[in-house]
Amino acid sequence: MNLPYNAFPLDQDPYDVRGFPHRLYIGGQWLPSSDGGLIEVTDPSSGAVIAAVPDATLEDAAAAVEAAAKAAKGWRETAPRKRSEILRRCFELMVERSETLAMLISLENGKALRDARGEVAYAAEFFRWNAEEAVRITGEFGTAPSGANRIVVDYQPIGICVLITPWNFPAAMATRKIAPALAAGCTVILKPASETPLTAYALAALYSDAGVPDGVVNVLTTSTPGPLTSAMLADPRVRKLSFTGSTGIGRALLAEAAKHVISCSMELGGNAPFIVFDDADLDAALDGAMIAKMRNAGEACTAANRIYVQSGIHDAFADGLAQRMAALKIGAGTKADTECGPMITKKAVDKIDRLVKDAVSRGAKVLCGGSVPEGDGFFYPPTVLSEVSPDADMAHEEIFGPVAPITRFESEAQAILHANNTEYGLAAYLYTRDVARGMRVAAEIEAGMIGLNRGLMSDPAAPFGGVKQSGLGREGGQHHGIAEFMEAKYIAVTF
Ligand code: NAD
């Protein structure tokens, strides 16, 4: 199915968005929810309802687990080469449909089309990378220290996986889990965020077209994720929970999974420091800050949330950043020239507004932006604050919006103290021409990922994940991503 992008408004049928089916996808069938319930999907640039997707019930969730269980043996026993070729086909189809998928992401998430295109390219890479890795899963063989036997270690698919994803990267957060799970030989049930379900269903159609057998990937949307997830985790055939989302929900799900001793991978919230030392290349640091702050209009777990700038370069950096941020074009994500789209909901705008007002009340100066605009849609303008107090709420909470708070620092030790003064530990950014200093500071910073003179580190070939309250486990990377979906089986052999 290679669909052209058709102009808005959408078809009258709530199950038809740009030709993509978007019912529950269970066992290869497109189904309404068992009680006919629907969840409305909103365009954040206007606040208008653009579609409706089924609101899955406990019965639907049970059917999805059943479908994943039925498909498990066949998929586990499918030759790695065949699994690899199907994943490769997913990659190719994603590339072919990239423009349509990007438009769909922009429509339901609001992000600028250029960001949506970037997301589709990144999301597709997880299929290419895991297609390449699927045929390189190896085991171990050795002699026991006593000499009594041989030690054989075989890596087996962990079993049925429940995958839960957020709205901020509706394609990439799904493929970052589905591709390694399928490469490992697992079957899955994906529960995407209700704010952005259309992309997940469009991708489900793509998997089917690529030859993924029925039941290997199941997708369901629900307005009651808590009870549905609890029910799925209580089924003894489910052996894995892979979650990306907020730390609060992640903690609750860890407790739920503990009841059934289920393996968990958790990609949670972030509060990334962005540190600029006096000796940094100013233009490179500004370029990096724009990417680290403004990719997805700041709605990214890796977004620079606290910007620490050394005294000698502080003023030039703050002026430069304010100029660049003020020049960004705001508008609906689907418009070709938009650089900063709307936030996902009004609630998100209200949170950003609260954080900015709190920082200003503690002495921050507004260099640009700083207030909610009039009009439709959930917009917040690109904003730069300087002299932000380390006690401001935004130094401790995820802003998740286009606000760049700058705090001055004097010494390397002070920068490290600031950077680590958070419960999170996902990403951090450092700008310095002194690579020895960069490596020294990188070693001291409590984060799972460091961008050294880079504003972007996400790469399917590198392990993505956090420490502290930012999560458990890694996605992507040479073996990390697939290992999350496998279990070691040790066989002691005497011969
Ligand atoms: P969220 O935690 O509110 O929701 C994430 C997903 O969990 C959604 O699908 C939601 O429907 C579901 N969910 C909500 N309550 C649930 C429950 N009780 N049981 C089961 N599922 C439930 O997060 P969000 O607002 O969608 O996304 C933003 C958050 O995600 C931010 O904190 C961001 O940092 C984080 N995030 C982290 C990464 C990462 O890789 N570490 C990537 C993207 C986003």
Side-chain angles (χ1 to χ4, degrees):
M1 187 167 57
N2 191 8
L3 298 159
Y5 162 61
N6 298 317
F8 194 79
L10 301 162
D11 198 287
Q12 291 301 305
D13 176 358
Y15 289 119
D16 181 14
V17 175
R18 287 161 209 280
F20 286 116
H22 53 289
R23 298 187 179 207
L24 305 177
Y25 185 64
I26 298 176
Q29 305 288 310
W30 295 98
L31 302 168
S33 77
S34 59
D35 69 0
L38 292 171
I39 305 172
E40 290 184 339
V41 185
T42 301
D43 171 359
S45 69
S46 65
V49 173
I50 51 169
V53 295
D55 189 357
T57 61
L58 288 171
E59 204 179 301
D60 299 322
V65 174
E66 192 57 42
K70 218 170 138 199
K73 186 168 187 294
W75 186 244
R76 191 174 61 232
E77 290 175 357
T78 299
R81 171 68 69 210
K82 176 81 180 154
R83 292 205 296 261
S84 165
E85 283 166 355
I86 291 173
L87 290 170
R88 173 78 197 189
R89 188 71 192 126
C90 289
F91 162 72
E92 289 163 358
L93 285 181
M94 260 193 105
V95 172
E96 271 176 32
R97 298 178 192 177
S98 55
E99 201 53 22
T100 313
L101 288 167
M103 194 53 93
L104 201 56
I105 292 172
S106 282
L107 183 68
E108 64 175 349
N109 167 282
K111 70 177 71 179
L113 202 45
R114 64 178 191 176
D115 285 335
R117 289 183 177 127
E119 179 183 345
V120 175
Y122 174 53
E125 282 301 327
F126 284 99
F127 284 119
R128 176 153 65 173
W129 177 256
N130 284 288
E132 289 159 352
E133 289 299 296
V135 288
R136 316 219 184 287
I137 298 167
T138 55
E140 293 146 37
F141 184 87
T143 302
S146 65
N149 60 284
R150 298 299 164 91
I151 294 172
V152 177
V153 183
D154 185 21
Y155 288 89
Q156 299 192 321
I158 195 165
I160 296 175
C161 308
V162 170
L163 316 175
I164 302 179
T165 51
W167 48 263
N168 67 336
F169 288 94
M173 296 303 96
T175 63
R176 200 164 79 174
K177 297 185 190 304
I178 290 172
L182 266 53
C186 297
T187 59
V188 307
I189 300 133
L190 172 73
K191 197 222 73 65
S194 319
E195 294 87 347
T196 55
L198 305 178
T199 306
Y201 285 127
L203 286 173
L206 182 149
Y207 309 142
S208 160
D209 293 347
V212 174
D214 292 350
V216 170
V217 179
N218 305 278
V219 183
L220 54 81
T221 35
T222 174
S223 63
T224 51
L228 256 72
T229 306
S230 298
M232 289 192 283
L233 297 185
D235 187 312
R237 294 171 295 182
V238 172
R239 297 309 313 143
K240 177 83 197 181
L241 171 63
S242 178
F243 172 77
T244 300
S246 60
T247 296
I249 302 289
R251 280 194 194 111
L253 287 173
L254 280 166
E256 192 61 34
K259 290 185 195 164
H260 311 288
V261 194
I262 285 178
S263 164
C264 289
S265 301
M266 292 275 148
E267 296 287 346
L268 308 178
N271 182 3
F274 187 102
I275 303 173
V276 185
F277 288 99
D278 278 346
D279 66 349
D281 175 329
L282 178 63
D283 282 332
L286 287 167
D287 289 346
M290 289 302 290
I291 295 169
K293 179 74 254 180
M294 290 307 294
R295 193 164 63 110
N296 266 9
E299 291 179 316
C301 52
T302 49
N305 207 60
R306 300 167 292 149
I307 302 181
Y308 298 114
V309 188
Q310 207 164 13
S311 274
I313 197 172
H314 176 277
D315 293 356
F317 181 89
D319 288 349
L321 192 62
Q323 269 180 34
R324 289 176 187 226
M325 290 281 276
L328 291 177
K329 187 139 182 45
I330 305 169
T334 46
K335 279 172 62 183
D337 59 348
T338 292
E339 293 170 307
C340 179
M343 304 295 97
I344 188 75
T345 53
K346 163 126 182 9
K347 195 170 155 211
V349 174
D350 292 344
K351 179 186 179 189
I352 298 165
D353 192 41
R354 168 179 67 78
L355 291 173
V356 169
K357 284 181 174 145
D358 167 77
V360 171
S361 76
R362 295 173 198 261
K365 289 190 194 145
V366 180
L367 303 189
C368 68
S371 58
V372 182
E374 298 284 318
D376 292 338
F378 314 134
F379 289 93
Y380 196 91
T383 296
V384 180
L385 306 177
S386 66
E387 316 296 337
V388 175
S389 162
D391 296 329
D393 288 348
M394 65 172 58
H396 305 284
E397 289 178 46
E398 281 187 290
I399 303 169
F400 241 59
V403 177
I406 301 177
T407 301
R408 189 188 297 267
F409 75 89
E410 303 298 333
S411 67
E412 185 178 305
Q414 202 187 4
I416 294 169
L417 271 178
H418 277 317
N420 289 339
N421 184 21
T422 171
E423 64 170 357
Y424 296 106
L426 188 60
Y429 305 88
L430 309 174
Y431 273 80
T432 173
R433 283 195 174 95
D434 179 349
V435 174
R437 163 151 68 185
M439 292 303 286
R440 187 169 67 232
V441 175
E444 291 296 318
I445 287 189
E446 297 160 354
M449 300 174 286
I450 310 275
L452 179 49
N453 294 321
R454 279 190 62 76
L456 178 70
M457 73 270 283
S458 302
D459 188 326
F464 187 106
V467 300
K468 294 161 74 176
Q469 302 300 301
S470 287
L472 298 169
R474 295 291 180 270
E475 293 189 322
Q478 291 203 338
H479 45 82
H480 306 80
I482 291 182
E484 302 276 330
F485 293 98
M486 305 206 82
E487 201 86 86
K489 176 173 282 177
Y490 154 52
I491 307 167
V493 190
T494 299
F495 58 88

